């Protein structure tokens, strides 16, 4: 009789231990990690993202789809100001990832964000020059030389606003030969040999390392851009949108972003 009672007590203790373990580990009520496989989300997720996120978010989309079978991530990459305008004009999208808080604010002020945006990374400018730096450019003052052709982003674009701030800090005035609507367009001018330099993000120079070098300059430290992300109010697939944002903020998401050269939030 005593042996039978002892076995019953052991079984009860073991069952309680299993229940206790199931409640640990940061899992949600379904027992799965946020944004992970078997999270129950399916369908299309449309993400409007700053052009500078092209490479890293493309990879994140593939990883998210692999972790969540039945989902498909579709992107629209462009300048943050253009994307914000499209969202406020009713373009269907689930998630907005901006390269600056100012452009995100135009969306949330219009009531088109669902909740408070979260800053997920930061980015810093460099001077992109052709591979090998044939012009010997070492800082912003070198961009003012009469024979140096420079591309900048337009000021309403985050990379353009950051460039203006850095140039003002350095007391450097220059006249670019072109103003581009997103950072990838400015970078392409260097890759195509149409300009001698462009102010772009460190991540963009890194992604094009086969064709360009990124020259660091101290004034960029005072013009660092924060990148916020938010689920949109009228998201067609809100559960998957929320799961995607959670994935971007997760350890695997951060690993992809820091590998691309983004700074931790």
């Amino acid at each position: 009789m005593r042996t039978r009672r002892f076995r019953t007590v052991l079984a009860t203790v073991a069952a309680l231990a299993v229940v206790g373990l199931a409640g640990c580990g940061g899992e949600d009520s379904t027992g799965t990690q946020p944004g992970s496989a078997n999270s129950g989300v399916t369908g299309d997720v449309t993400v409007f993202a700053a052009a500078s996120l092209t490479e890293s978010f493309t990879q994140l989309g593939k990883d998210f789809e692999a972790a969540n079978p039945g989902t498909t991530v579709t992107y629209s990459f462009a300048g943050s100001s253009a994307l914000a305008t499209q969202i406020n004009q009713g373009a269907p999208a689930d998630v907005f990832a901006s390269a600056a808080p100012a452009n995100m604010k135009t969306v949330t002020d219009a009531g088109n964000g669902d909740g408070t945006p979260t800053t997920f990374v930061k980015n810093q400018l460099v001077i992109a020059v052709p591979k090998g730096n044939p012009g010997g450019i070492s800082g912003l003052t070198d961009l003012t030389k009469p024979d140096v052709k420079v591309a900048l982003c337009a000021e309403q674009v985050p990379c353009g606003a950051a460039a203006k701030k850095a140039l003002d800090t350095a007391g450097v005035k220059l006249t670019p030969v072109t103003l581009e609507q997103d950072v990838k367009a400015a970078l392409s001018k260097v890759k195509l040999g149409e300009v001698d330099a462009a102010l772009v993000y460190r991540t963009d120079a890194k992604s094009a390392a086969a064709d360009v070098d990124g020259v660091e300059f101290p004034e960029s430290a005072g013009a660092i851009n924060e990148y916020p992300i938010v689920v949109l109010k009228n998201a067609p697939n809100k559960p998957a949108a929320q799961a995607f944002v959670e994935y971007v903020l997760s350890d695997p998401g951060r690993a992809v972003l820091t590998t691309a050269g983004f700074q931790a939030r």
Side-chain angles (χ1 to χ4, degrees):
M1 179 70 77
R2 288 181 181 177
T3 301
R4 190 173 302 167
R5 287 178 183 170
F6 184 65
R7 288 175 179 170
T8 301
V9 170
L10 285 179
T12 302
V13 171
L16 290 172
V18 169
V19 171
L21 287 173
C24 300
E27 296 176 345
D28 61 22
S29 60
T30 64
T32 59
Q33 295 291 337
S36 67
N38 302 317
S39 62
V41 298
T42 58
D44 296 335
V45 186
T46 301
V47 179
F48 278 26
S52 51
L53 292 166
T54 300
E55 292 81 12
S56 55
F57 263 40
T58 297
Q59 182 60 53
L60 282 173
K62 293 176 182 177
D63 295 344
F64 179 79
E65 290 171 352
N68 296 275
T71 60
T72 301
V73 182
T74 302
Y75 291 105
S76 178
F77 293 111
S80 297
S81 57
L83 294 173
T85 298
Q86 292 171 30
I87 291 168
N88 286 342
Q89 290 177 346
D94 296 288
V95 176
F96 179 38
S98 172
N103 302 107
M104 177 62 75
K105 189 173 185 297
T106 64
V107 170
T108 56
D109 283 354
N112 290 320
D114 184 9
T116 303
T118 301
T119 297
F120 63 103
V121 286
K122 300 178 181 179
N123 213 348
Q124 195 164 338
L125 295 176
V126 297
I127 304 170
V129 296
K131 198 69 179 175
N133 194 7
I137 292 172
S138 60
L140 293 179
T141 55
D142 291 331
L143 303 181
T144 63
K145 295 177 181 178
D147 58 338
V148 176
K149 293 183 290 185
V150 180
L152 295 179
C153 294
E155 285 187 23
Q156 70 268 24
V157 181
C159 64
K164 183 181 186 303
K165 187 173 182 179
L167 290 165
D168 288 346
T169 298
V172 171
K173 296 185 182 297
L174 59 84
T175 302
V177 297
T178 181
L179 290 172
E180 301 299 327
Q181 293 305 308
D182 65 64
V183 69
K184 292 298 186 186
L187 180 66
S188 71
K189 297 294 183 180
V190 181
K191 294 169 67 174
L192 294 171
E194 296 179 10
V195 298
D196 303 297
L199 290 182
V200 304
Y201 294 119
R202 182 182 289 161
T203 52
D204 294 293
K206 184 173 182 178
S207 71
D211 302 304
V212 306
D213 288 331
V215 178
E216 302 279 348
F217 59 97
E219 296 85 359
S220 68
I224 295 175
N225 276 15
E226 296 183 344
Y227 284 55
I229 189 169
V230 74
V231 173
L232 294 172
K233 180 180 178 180
N234 295 320
N237 189 351
K238 197 161 287 187
Q242 185 60 51
F244 179 83
V245 171
E246 290 175 357
Y247 192 82
V248 170
L249 299 174
S250 70
D251 288 342
R254 285 197 296 268
V256 170
L257 291 161
T258 54
T259 298
F262 289 96
Q263 300 170 32
R265 58 191 172 102

